[in-house]
Amino acid sequence: MGYDELIRDALATPFEGWDFGVFLGRMTDDADLPWDYEALVRERLPAASSLLDLGTGGGELLASLAPLPSRTAATEGHPPNLPVARARLAPLGVEVVAAGDTLPFPDGSFELVVNRHTSYDPCEVRRVLADGGTFLTQQVAGRDLEEINQVLGGPPHEGRDWDLDSACAELDVVWRQEATYTTTFHDVGALVLFLRVISWQVPDFDVDRYADRLRALHADMERGRPLRATARRFALLARR
């Protein structure tokens, strides 16, 4: 597929929630994380009578964890995801609310708060946790995939300073770990679609603004030199 066709396809491809199946074979990772976030959540569900999922996306993962505690709620800060999450989670009795770092719940509301890849305010998480409650999160570090920004000559990720130490502030952390692996973009269309979805990676991204760099990347990829970037993840478990 030529450059122009790849770009047109990337700009037109539908995308909803956080279902990355559209990238199958076009954006690949070379390793698994040393922890399993989903398994860690499942281990803690039977003991929790209330659950809050921060940044549920389209509710894909939360729905897969059913049966859920009788009191389960979810937040989502990306407006296009809200109707998707509500349609998927309403049949499971899950309340989905629009929220960012400030959480619209009373103090001590939840025994288990989980969060995969959504920013949060540690003080707010601590506030909504019940006494003895647990917070589990897997996060994308602020320097994630920074090679993309470098090769495009674009500005850095807006949250570049977000790291494990920042995420642990104000929390009683009992376990923490970080890891890196390589993400490979095999065609320029996959990269453009990724930057369309993850719009904060290169804050001023536009295909016309970056056309020269994108065409150079396309030429490299056609010669068998895909774009490789370092994915940075960390996870922590905290209790109140």
Side-chain angles (χ1 to χ4, degrees), residues 6-79:
L6 283 166
I7 297 300
R8 283 196 301 270
D9 182 70
L11 296 177
T13 298
F15 191 94
E16 67 174 27
W18 293 121
D19 181 2
F20 278 69
V22 68
F23 291 100
L24 185 64
R26 302 175 66 194
M27 183 179 82
T28 57
D29 299 326
D30 74 347
D32 294 325
L33 291 170
W35 63 85
D36 184 334
Y37 172 80
E38 181 177 339
L40 290 170
V41 175
R42 287 186 182 278
E43 286 174 15
R44 287 156 180 80
L45 278 178
S49 63
S50 53
L51 168 67
L52 173 62
D53 182 26
L54 299 178
T56 197
E60 299 89 350
L61 177 59
L62 184 58
S64 75
L65 298 173
L68 299 169
S70 56
R71 165 68 170 131
T72 298
T75 68
E76 177 54 33
H78 188 48

Side-chain angles (χ1 to χ4, degrees), residues 134-196:
T134 299
F135 174 53
L136 173 65
T137 185
Q138 176 179 298
Q139 290 285 303
V140 179
R143 293 178 56 207
D144 186 62
L145 305 178
E146 63 184 355
E147 293 90 345
I148 295 174
N149 305 66
Q150 294 165 359
V151 77
L152 290 177
H157 189 293
E158 292 174 342
R160 192 174 186 277
D161 294 333
W162 180 244
D163 59 15
L164 182 55
D165 288 338
S166 302
C168 289
E170 307 298 328
L171 296 173
D172 299 320
V173 176
V174 296
W175 168 80
R176 52 184 274 173
Q177 193 170 1
E178 52 192 339
T180 63
Y181 56 88
T182 300
T183 294
T184 302
F185 294 87
H186 297 275
D187 68 77
V188 74
L191 176 62
V192 169
L193 177 55
F194 177 83
L195 293 175
R196 189 186 119 203

Side-chain angles (χ1 to χ4, degrees), residues 45-148:
L45 278 178
S49 63
S50 53
L51 168 67
L52 173 62
D53 182 26
L54 299 178
T56 197
E60 299 89 350
L61 177 59
L62 184 58
S64 75
L65 298 173
L68 299 169
S70 56
R71 165 68 170 131
T72 298
T75 68
E76 177 54 33
H78 188 48
N81 286 345
L82 284 167
V84 179
R86 285 169 175 156
R88 179 174 282 116
L89 296 174
L92 301 177
V94 178
E95 174 192 12
V96 180
V97 299
D101 289 349
T102 300
L103 303 176
F105 303 105
D107 296 358
S109 294
F110 299 97
E111 293 181 1
L112 177 61
V113 176
V114 298
N115 173 340
R116 186 174 68 170
H117 298 176
T118 295
S119 66
Y120 63 91
D121 179 342
C123 293
E124 276 291 275
V125 169
R126 184 181 180 87
R127 181 184 66 78
V128 300
L129 272 176
D131 288 341
T134 299
F135 174 53
L136 173 65
T137 185
Q138 176 179 298
Q139 290 285 303
V140 179
R143 293 178 56 207
D144 186 62
L145 305 178
E146 63 184 355
E147 293 90 345
I148 295 174

